Amino acid sequence: GAVVSQHPSRVICKSGTSVKIECRSLDFQATTMFWYRQFPKQSLMLMATSNEGSKATYEQGVEKDKFLINHASLTLSTLTVTSAHPEDSSFYICSARMERVGNYGYTFGSGTRLTVV
Amino acid sequence: RKEVEQDPGPFNVPEGATVAFNCTYSNSASQSFFWYRQDCRKEPKLLMSVYSSGNEDGRFTAQLNRASQYISLLIRDSKLSDSATYLCVVNRMGLRAAGNKLTFGGGTRVLVKP
């Protein structure tokens, strides 16, 4: 089945630094990837939709200058949390929408647990 | 009002029993519906899609009621391994439509106990 590889799985960083999270589709091309954030005991909240070759679309309330998204190829999207603060500590998950003929499902990366200290 | 609402639970279920729970959605234009399972600190995994006529996958049965705007999940003969959070997921547009995106409910926690 389709696999989305997300790295790193866990990261601890100091307040004020930046962290990059990668999401790769391993056996399919993903023109669209989605970035979610999940706080403890809450559901996944969509942060932005990443489109290959164009600017990402951010959900209301998500700062585009703080959460930089790059989708430079059909198999890679990155999320960079810039100038991270403790309140950015969360579980970040990417998802890719498969667009092969006859298969339009979504598959998720394994998530990145970010802790900002 | 949240777009997708679920009873957070937890539903404490004796092993072997049946448990059922619902999810309501507010947008009547919603077209695709799914149940995902999420284990603690893991990514969500698709459990099953929900079709208009209702569908079954082993011990799991999903139903869709468009008139009342809810979907349901029933788990028969519960196993200890069924303990997880079940996420109701709604897609406003058809799955093939460009720009569609998933909206997640808050999840229903199920604890199956011996």
Side-chain angles (χ1 to χ4, degrees):
Chain A
V3 175
V4 171
S5 175
Q6 183 172 345
H7 293 281
S9 58
R10 188 182 298 264
V11 58
I12 300 173
C13 71
K14 290 185 178 180
S15 188
T17 61
S18 295
V19 173
K20 180 186 280 190
I21 303 169
E22 289 190 351
C23 186
R24 292 179 187 273
S25 56
L26 295 187
D27 55 355
F28 66 99
Q29 294 182 333
T31 55
T32 305
M33 288 190 179
F34 304 89
W35 287 96
Y36 295 86
R37 179 168 54 182
Q38 186 177 32
F39 291 106
K41 298 191 177 182
Q42 294 186 26
S43 191
L44 279 73
M45 296 300 296
L46 181 65
M47 298 175 67
T49 301
S50 166
N51 303 296
E52 186 268 336
S54 64
K55 290 183 180 179
T57 305
Y58 289 81
E59 295 300 301
Q60 193 172 11
V62 178
E63 300 174 56
K64 61 180 181 181
D65 294 330
K66 180 170 181 62
F67 298 99
L68 301 178
I69 289 173
N70 186 286
H71 194 155
S73 78
L74 286 171
T75 58
L76 174 64
S77 176
T78 61
L79 168 68
T80 301
V81 183
T82 62
S83 187
H85 291 284
E87 57 266 30
D88 298 324
S89 298
S90 186
F91 191 48
Y92 292 85
I93 309 176
C94 66
S95 172
R97 178 171 168 263
M98 291 188 299
E99 296 170 5
R100 290 184 296 202
V101 174
N103 191 341
Y104 289 82
Y106 293 80
T107 189
F108 287 82
S110 54
T112 298
R113 191 159 301 280
L114 170 64
T115 304
V116 184
V117 297
Chain B
R1 183 187 172 188
K2 291 182 183 177
E3 197 166 335
V4 180
E5 294 205 66
Q6 295 182 250
D7 182 338
F11 285 65
N12 294 300
V13 184
E15 191 176 7
T18 296
V19 61
F21 41 89
N22 293 341
C23 158
T24 59
Y25 59 95
S26 61
N27 192 327
S28 59
S30 299
Q31 296 199 22
S32 305
F33 308 89
F34 311 90
W35 283 106
Y36 277 74
R37 171 197 169 123
Q38 186 175 27
D39 293 292
C40 189
R41 294 175 172 263
K42 300 279 188 178
E43 76 277 18
K45 293 187 178 176
L46 179 64
L47 179 65
M48 57 196 304
S49 301
V50 186
Y51 302 121
S52 297
S53 55
N55 48 300
E56 190 175 302
D57 183 359
R59 297 181 295 107
F60 298 85
T61 302
Q63 298 277 356
L64 166 63
N65 186 317
R66 284 192 185 272
S68 301
Q69 294 183 204
Y70 74 86
I71 67 173
S72 64
L73 181 66
L74 181 145
I75 307 173
R76 283 187 304 278
D77 187 23
S78 298
K79 311 288 184 193
L80 297 177
S81 56
D82 293 333
S83 296
T85 297
Y86 292 84
L87 302 173
C88 171
V89 184
V90 173
N91 191 333
R92 245 182 280 159
M93 301 168 70
L95 208 52
R96 298 185 179 195
N100 67 57
K101 55 188 180 184
L102 304 179
T103 301
F104 285 78
T108 296
R109 192 158 170 239
V110 172
L111 296 173
V112 182
K113 300 187 175 180

